[in-house]
Amino acid sequence: MSEADPAIKEAAIDNWAYGPIFDADAHIDPPHDMWKDYLPAHLKDRAPRILHEDDGDYIEFEGNRRPFMMINNQAGREGKNFKMKGRLEEQRKVWEPATRLADMDADGMDAALLFGGGPLGSFDNELYVASYEAYQNWVLDFCSVAPDRLFPVGYVPMRDIDETCRHVERLAKKGFRAINLPAFPQNPDAWKTSSGVKALKEGQVSALTGDAKGALQYSDPAFDKLWKTVVDANVVITFHLGARVPRFGQKEYFLADMPMSKMAMAEPIGIFIYNAIFDRFPDLRIGSMESGVGWFAWFAEYNDRTWEKQRFWTECPIKNPPSYYMDTNVFGSFIQDRTGILNRNLPGGRNIMWSSDYPHSETTFPRSRQIIARDFEGVPEEDVKDIINNNARKLLGLD
């Protein structure tokens, strides 16, 4: 029996009135031995190796050995029992379809958008970029067991516009509906970034952040080729945090970093709004994932008031107030955010989506329905249905 099973039984809710739940942000980290099966033949011998030592398990890669970290696999544990380091056998096997679907059933999840565990933190450009495609292929195979319930997000490198366009076109043809970009474009050496996190390799951080100080920026009109490719392929762009990455593994910084990692997502959203990207591509949809949404309505109002006064001398090219684009082009996901729920009818707060963050340390599993009932108390049933299901389907173009 898994450690979560008793809690699952305790969390059961009778007479659920809100209908299906579409988890807008769940996670699927692949098993560490996946890479040797999915990397190109000439790179397989460079895949990470698992070492089982007396004092714990280790990951050996590119001449370095690091302890196996468990922060992203805490589903079923109470906070007081969280473990940062451990053995692979202590993980919840979320990469096994049977385990994943059983947990979704137990927690009341009808469908999930899956954000993932690629690429490798390599310092070699060839291996680094190849690991993106390896992960894409693996997660598509994983989701093929239940394509009406499991929706993969395709992580792509963003070091070259033409290269990224090719990834988008290929993934769209394979059935991906969402493409995850770093919050800022990457450098020519894609793994390099000025956004350092001590416990993570540069390549892993760069996949989420890119480089806010790099020469290539989304405000560049040259990116219109990519936005057109995305719209023509009818896929959505997601940014999964990334404007600032918490210093995982450093307990003296972690708690203060966490809320800043959410609100920092205002910067990439602002870049899209103020550079008139949505004016040129009105069908472009972006999702700010796991960023929380309690700040969305404040952000929209602040931008409107600032734009009204400053748009003339800044020669701002947008045709509508910033809140307009928040309500037509920008979506956001949250885990536990009653403030955002209560602001759902304010400008900027309308395209919000609930998520479980399974199996990460913020997850609501296995009490998701209990938490939804608590956080949505007093909210009209139709509004609840939009936030826990319909808005995610709208983002992905499923309706």
Side-chain angles (χ1 to χ4, degrees):
M1 176 179 289
S2 81
E3 60 190 301
D5 289 339
I8 290 174
K9 293 174 183 176
E10 293 170 6
I13 287 184
D14 296 327
N15 302 317
W16 177 253
Y18 297 128
I21 302 173
F22 196 120
D23 188 344
D25 174 28
H27 294 268
I28 180 64
D29 293 330
H32 287 275
D33 58 2
M34 174 275 285
W35 299 105
K36 61 180 173 53
D37 296 325
Y38 280 83
L39 283 169
H42 71 290
L43 296 175
K44 289 182 185 295
D45 62 348
R46 296 176 60 187
R49 295 176 57 236
I50 310 301
L51 303 176
H52 303 287
E53 306 288 359
D54 291 341
D55 62 341
D57 290 347
Y58 291 82
I59 311 297
E60 187 177 69
F61 181 58
E62 295 191 337
N64 294 311
R65 193 181 78 155
R66 64 174 177 84
F68 171 64
M69 306 297 288
M70 294 189 63
I71 187 63
N72 284 341
N73 194 296
Q74 302 294 343
R77 288 190 178 88
E78 298 293 336
K80 63 183 180 181
N81 296 322
F82 278 6
K83 298 181 67 173
M84 285 300 297
K85 300 177 182 179
R87 294 190 179 274
L88 271 70
E89 64 185 22
E90 295 178 280
Q91 296 178 99
R92 195 169 190 83
K93 295 180 173 57
V94 301
W95 59 86
E96 292 181 350
T99 299
R100 166 69 62 157
L101 293 172
D103 279 356
M104 287 175 65
D105 289 343
D107 204 26
M109 302 296 107
D110 294 87
L113 186 63
L114 300 182
F115 290 82
L120 287 170
S122 175
F123 297 115
D124 175 83
N125 261 10
E126 182 187 17
L127 178 57
Y128 182 67
V129 173
S131 71
Y132 276 93
E133 188 165 349
Y135 174 78
Q136 294 162 2
N137 292 334
W138 176 82
V139 76
L140 191 64
D141 285 348
F142 173 83
C143 291
S144 68
V145 302
D148 58 333
R149 300 186 68 186
L150 302 174
F151 294 84
V153 177
Y155 281 57
V156 298
M158 186 58 265
R159 61 178 181 166
D160 176 86
I161 295 171
D162 288 333
E163 177 185 59
T164 304
C165 286
R166 291 193 294 272
H167 275 279
V168 171
E169 291 169 339
R170 179 175 56 82
L171 293 180
K173 289 177 182 177
K174 286 178 173 288
F176 285 82
R177 291 181 174 271
I179 305 296
N180 197 76
L181 297 179
F184 306 96
Q186 292 166 294
N187 296 307
D189 287 329
W191 53 267
K192 284 187 177 180
T193 178
S194 59
S195 305
V197 177
K198 186 177 180 180
L200 298 174
K201 281 193 172 183
E202 280 192 285
Q204 295 169 311
V205 177
S206 178
L208 294 176
T209 68
D211 196 332
K213 300 177 182 178
L216 196 63
Q217 293 297 322
Y218 292 131
S219 56
D220 190 328
F223 273 91
D224 280 4
K225 179 177 182 179
L226 176 57
W227 313 141
K228 184 178 187 304
T229 300
V230 168
V231 170
D232 289 349
N234 193 30
V235 295
V236 62
I237 293 171
T238 60
F239 300 103
H240 195 279
L241 296 178
R244 177 172 174 172
V245 178
R247 284 166 282 189
F248 291 104
Q250 293 178 264
K251 59 185 177 182
E252 67 271 31
Y253 300 119
F254 181 76
L255 291 175
D257 282 3
M258 283 295 283
M260 295 308 300
S261 72
K262 314 285 187 181
M263 293 182 286
M265 291 305 294
E267 185 175 0
I269 293 173
I271 289 171
F272 272 71
I273 291 174
Y274 285 120
N275 287 282
I277 294 171
F278 296 128
D279 282 317
R280 296 194 300 278
F281 300 94
D283 293 329
L284 183 65
R285 306 182 304 281
I286 68 171
S288 177
M289 313 306 293
E290 204 175 318
S291 62
V293 295
W295 56 272
F296 267 36
W298 166 84
F299 178 67
E301 181 182 12
Y302 178 84
N303 279 327
D304 282 358
R305 300 293 85 84
T306 304
W307 173 78
E308 288 167 0
K309 290 187 175 182
Q310 312 287 352
R311 64 191 174 106
F312 301 103
W313 76 269
T314 59
E315 300 180 6
C316 182
I318 63 176
K319 299 175 182 178
N320 301 287
S323 61
Y324 172 85
Y325 306 100
M326 291 291 292
D327 286 338
T328 56
N329 303 92
V330 179
F331 292 68
S333 77
F334 67 93
I335 306 165
Q336 300 184 59
D337 193 338
R338 183 161 170 81
T339 301
I341 293 167
L342 295 179
N343 287 333
R344 69 193 179 279
N345 292 322
L346 293 177
R350 293 168 178 149
N351 296 324
I352 64 175
M353 308 173 294
W354 180 89
S355 67
S356 77
D357 198 39
Y358 173 98
H360 286 182
S361 60
E362 288 191 282
T363 186
T364 56
F365 174 85
R367 298 182 176 89
S368 294
R369 286 188 173 186
Q370 283 186 353
I371 289 170
I372 289 171
R374 180 199 69 193
D375 290 351
F376 285 83
E377 183 180 1
V379 176
E381 185 175 304
E382 290 307 309
D383 289 3
V384 178
K385 290 179 177 178
D386 283 343
I387 296 170
I388 69 171
N389 181 60
N390 299 337
N391 289 347
R393 298 185 66 83
K394 178 182 174 184
L395 171 68
L396 296 177
L398 293 171
D399 291 329

